[in-house]
Amino acid sequence: MKIHLIPLLAVLGLATGSATAFAAPDEKLKAAAEQEKAPLIETLRDMVMIESGSGDAEGLKKMADFTEARLKALGATTERRKTTAGTGADMVIATFQGSGTRKLMLIAHLDTVYQRGILATEPYRVDGTKIFGPGIADDKGGIAVVLHALKILKDAGWQDYARLTVSFNPDEEVGSIGSGEIIAELADQHDVVLSCEPTAASPPAKNDSLLLGASGTATGKMEVKGRASHAGAAPDLGRNALIELAHQLQQTRDVAKSIPGTQLNWTTAQAGTVRNQIPEKAEAGADIRLTIPDGIAKLQAALDAKVKEKLVADTETKVTIIEGRPPFVASDRGRALAEVGQAIYAEIDRKLDIVEMTGGATDAGYANRSGKAVVVESFGLAGFGYHARDEFIDINSIVPRLYLMSRMLIEQGKKK
């Protein structure tokens, strides 16, 4: 059943077309957020100094130990749950029991894209209003917002929820291959899920934001079989798989442009083993992004049709698509929740943008898959440079984001 936005906004206490229904800030909460700024920066430094790439089992264990201890100190019951694939590192799942009626969930991830030793070339450092460090925005900033917002609310004696669950997983940067199903299962047990990936810092973004859409992912593989032969003495007896692969890559590179809601980019390739042999095998890999549920089927059909057109006779080309993280497309309820965030930001005289879609992929896709929970993304700190060099967070975003998370939880706890 379609949920109409105007009645829902009325239920949420917002005037239609207005993001300023909450007029005055909660001064005590704002002061508490200011007081947590310095401790949050210390937490960020401690976490950045733990290198925790997705394949780094030792670093991920240290991050799990660190965050579990902090959650226990806040009064949570914690569980370490093994992921089902990848390094087999632990998820940290924490549960708080309250006195209200709503079930709320917060998600963020422990892993980064960086390899062991990255701190030697990209150390933690402070430069003006920026703090640099690998993974500091994506997603250690998100973890810090969760830990310190919960500290603010604990100190305020807030318990207006039936259950509050925190999930930190160790494999988001490799598609949540061992945790995605667990996240989806947990999310279905909750009313609201706030996902804590970063918001883009200014510049390049004008304002902080919340996100209502993120691409799903899939992996494409193209395999070409040819025939080997001597490259000098008898090249014509071979069937060059490398040449055919190049042909197929050229003719399939734009195939997704005819299928709205899909994106395909060939990103890896390999062929042959020695210089003096016509290669009999070649293969390429593709990064695929999707925002439509039947995108994989449509891409597969289009690719299968294209590769029938050969350049090198007697070669065979096969394309396989392996589904990854599902797309995240927020519901009308999610949009209304983001507009509550806009009203909260307006209380402290800041503008909050709502971003419709990003080409990145997040665990909000798993949390939102069934549609049972209301899901909104990007409650982390404002930052930039993730998955690149010189990743940083904007210090000026710390207090507003703590205020946003704390106020959002309070408002959601009030609902019946």
Side-chain angles (χ1 to χ4, degrees):
M1 181 176 70
K2 184 175 178 62
I3 296 174
H4 295 285
L5 190 57
I6 292 175
L8 184 59
L9 289 175
V11 171
L12 290 168
L14 289 176
T16 305
S18 170
T20 58
F22 303 129
D26 183 326
E27 294 294 350
K28 287 185 178 180
L29 198 65
K30 187 178 176 184
E34 292 278 4
Q35 290 176 352
E36 281 300 307
K37 179 178 176 180
L40 185 147
I41 291 173
E42 289 185 22
T43 297
L44 276 178
R45 184 185 186 283
D46 290 343
M47 289 192 292
V48 169
M49 298 307 293
I50 302 172
E51 296 181 334
S52 57
S54 302
D56 189 339
E58 181 183 350
L60 291 169
K61 181 181 183 302
K62 289 179 180 178
M63 277 297 297
D65 290 344
F66 179 88
T67 54
E68 183 180 28
R70 295 290 292 268
L71 289 162
K72 282 183 175 179
L74 291 169
T77 300
T78 62
E79 172 191 359
R80 298 278 278 267
R81 192 177 301 186
K82 288 288 182 189
T83 49
T84 59
T87 62
D90 289 343
M91 295 179 70
V92 176
I93 301 170
T95 305
F96 298 83
Q97 300 297 332
S99 57
T101 60
R102 300 270 279 171
K103 296 175 183 177
L104 312 175
M105 183 174 175
L106 308 176
I107 61 175
H109 61 92
L110 304 167
D111 61 321
T112 76
V113 299
Y114 302 98
Q115 299 298 308
R116 174 65 69 92
I118 186 65
L119 284 171
T121 56
E122 296 186 43
Y124 176 93
R125 62 188 175 89
V126 181
D127 184 359
T129 61
K130 297 177 181 178
I131 307 178
F132 292 83
I136 194 166
D138 185 16
D139 189 30
K140 293 177 179 181
I143 293 172
V145 168
V146 171
L147 295 177
H148 289 272
L150 292 181
K151 173 65 164 55
I152 289 169
L153 294 172
K154 174 180 166 45
D155 290 347
W158 178 71
Q159 286 193 317
D160 194 10
Y161 54 88
R163 182 169 81 233
L164 191 154
T165 302
V166 175
S167 171
F168 295 151
N169 63 315
D171 58 352
E172 192 274 345
E173 297 293 4
V174 290
S176 301
I177 54 177
S179 65
E181 292 301 321
I182 299 171
I183 292 169
E185 178 186 347
L186 286 171
D188 285 352
Q189 301 168 21
H190 293 77
D191 299 304
V192 173
V193 179
L194 308 182
S195 184
C196 298
E197 294 285 351
T199 179
S202 178
K206 262 187 181 180
N207 306 295
D208 295 348
S209 64
L210 292 175
L211 180 65
L212 297 183
S215 295
T217 60
T219 300
K221 184 178 182 181
M222 179 181 287
E223 299 172 280
V224 178
K225 291 182 181 179
R227 184 190 305 153
S229 67
H230 195 295
D236 291 342
L237 295 180
R239 297 293 181 264
N240 196 316
L242 175 58
I243 297 298
E244 181 63 18
L245 177 68
H247 165 68
Q248 296 292 359
L249 294 179
Q250 283 284 359
Q251 71 169 1
T252 60
R253 65 178 182 175
D254 293 330
V255 70
K257 291 182 179 179
S258 64
I259 307 171
T262 70
Q263 176 180 296
L264 178 147
N265 286 292
W266 296 106
T267 53
T268 64
Q270 60 184 40
T273 55
V274 294
R275 174 192 55 80
N276 58 351
Q277 182 185 60
I278 298 298
E280 65 178 350
K281 293 181 180 179
E283 68 176 52
D287 178 273
I288 296 172
R289 305 284 163 148
L290 311 123
T291 59
I292 55 174
D294 58 348
I296 289 178
K298 288 181 175 179
L299 268 178
Q300 185 72 65
L303 288 164
D304 288 345
K306 278 285 188 184
V307 300
K308 290 178 181 178
E309 303 172 22
K310 300 179 182 180
L311 177 66
V312 180
D314 302 322
T315 57
E316 296 179 14
T317 300
K318 178 184 177 182
V319 178
T320 306
I321 300 177
I322 301 171
E323 185 176 5
R325 186 187 280 113
F328 165 53
V329 180
S331 64
D332 284 350
R333 295 183 300 158
R335 183 176 298 278
L337 184 60
E339 292 184 358
V340 173
Q342 287 184 315
I344 289 170
Y345 246 46
E347 293 176 357
I348 53 175
D349 297 321
R350 288 179 70 102
K351 182 174 173 56
L352 185 71
D353 291 336
I354 293 178
V355 176
E356 298 294 331
M357 179 61 63
T358 177
T362 85
D363 285 331
Y366 280 112
N368 193 64
R369 188 172 65 185
S370 73
K372 292 180 180 179
V374 182
V375 183
V376 176
E377 177 61 271
S378 294
F379 281 87
L381 294 177
F384 199 66
Y386 16 94
H387 294 214
R389 293 189 61 83
D390 295 325
E391 183 174 342
F392 70 87
I393 63 100
D394 180 357
I395 293 174
N396 292 328
S397 75
I398 293 174
V399 172
R401 301 306 275 189
L402 282 175
Y403 185 85
L404 173 64
M405 174 63 83
S406 302
R407 281 281 287 115
M408 184 65 81
L409 289 171
I410 289 170
E411 287 301 314
Q412 294 313 300
K414 292 177 181 178
K415 309 303 172 191
K416 303 300 180 186

